[in-house]
Amino acid sequence: MQKNLVIEGGHPLRGKVKISGAKNAGLVLIAASIMAEGETILDNVPRICDTEVMVEMLNEMGASAHWREDGSLSIHPPQHGMKHRTPLELSKKLRASNLFLGALLGRQGQAIVALPGGCDIGSRPMDLHVKGVRALGADIQIEQGCIYAQAQETYGARIYLDFPSVGATENLIMMSAKTPGMSIIENAAKEPEIVDLANFLNSMGAKVRGAGTDVVKIEGVAQLKAGRYSIIPDRIEAGTYMIGAAVSGGEVLVENVIPTHLHPIIAKLQETGALVEETDQGVLVKAGERVHKVDIRTLPYPGFPTDMQSLMLALLSIAEGTSVIVENVFENRFQIVDELNRMGAKIRIEGQTAIVEGVASLYGATVRATDLRAGAALVLAALAARGETVIEDAIHIFRGYENITEKLRGLGAHIK
Ligand code: UD1
């Protein structure tokens, strides 16, 4: 796997790009597939490092999972004898491995799940997941970096989440889907990926209501039957190419998107002066004459997504005026700042706030991708910069973006 990306800046992105399936929906649906009897076929799952790791995990756990010729993913868990322990080394590679907690408990009442790895964007505890599965009847021990969960007798429960955690909501929906009685998750996360999970489970016979609102009600069923399901497009990938158009002074039509999922991003992009138009083919973004400063606070959906924060930093680096960005979801998501500053940006951090003093232009430099979205933000900065940028540790970017080099090249970027 190549490790560096080299980008020559100054070539505006122009043309159309087709958005892949959502990474975060793909990851949770892959985990949820083990709860069904029979073969599940998932369409539109992006082939990226993170989904490949989930597929490898399934195979190591005794399910049969493989990509089919038409690009879909087939997952067929065994009737009996599936391991209930996630492979340790693979689990360390991505946080989404923790989604096997709810899926395994829902499937077979037992799970040993390693406390997860993934992006280094701050402490990512699992207390809410644990509190929830305990309420549903699981006995939990945490030892040597693993959660040991046993659920002999489970029952529906009312669970209040102190924070609308995406992963905790997903784990609890999965476990509740097979837990007898009615479970109610209050202050649930409302992200589109949660709705996709609920739709997927319901397509297999589950009874999940209210996904997309902050109260999700789940009536447990005894059995889920496998079928075929197509996952939603990736709103963060779409947002990345949209900002790519704005930052490079170009014009891009992002195709295969659900515009309502993009509204929090569109709203802020318009405030920066970009022209955004929803058309029948997708969302068209045209760079404005200047980039205006904007202030942003990241929040759970439908607030501005934390996953877009680094990408916006890249754009606001070249805005006229000073922007203020407050990160409210993850505490360590400003690692990108040192890298952007190496490219001539003027950003300083005060606690959870980034103060971005716009500069006239960025210049190429050798920088390092510290996490997935930070890496993507460096790509955007490099597109706008004068000269050549080398992004080291680009592997982080491939974790989450399908065919990013090909897609950018198709839009006229000079990237290798
Ligand atoms: C998911 C997404 C990630 C996105 C994030 C927020 C996947 C695979 N990843 O991550 O891309 O950035 O949602 O939209 O879907 N928290 C606790 N206790 C817990 C769980 C979470 O305190 O038990 C805190 C976290 O530390 C963090 C916040 O809640 O500060 C949000 O985390 P969460 O929504 O759980 O994010 P993930 O599901 O890990």
Side-chain angles (χ1 to χ4, degrees), residues 27-51:
L27 295 174
V28 69
L29 266 60
I30 290 174
S33 297
I34 64 167
M35 293 170 60
E37 285 171 28
E39 182 191 16
T40 294
I41 310 248
L42 294 176
D43 288 299
N44 213 26
V45 178
R47 262 191 106 154
I48 49 177
C49 297
D50 274 11
T51 53

Side-chain angles (χ1 to χ4, degrees), residues 24 27 95-96 123-129 163-167 191 306-307 329-330 333:
N24 288 348
L27 295 174
R95 178 170 169 87
S123 82
R124 298 176 88 172
M126 286 191 63
D127 54 314
L128 301 172
H129 305 236
F163 184 89
S165 153
V166 173
E191 270 68 2
T306 175
D307 283 343
V329 181
F330 287 111
R333 253 202 168 152

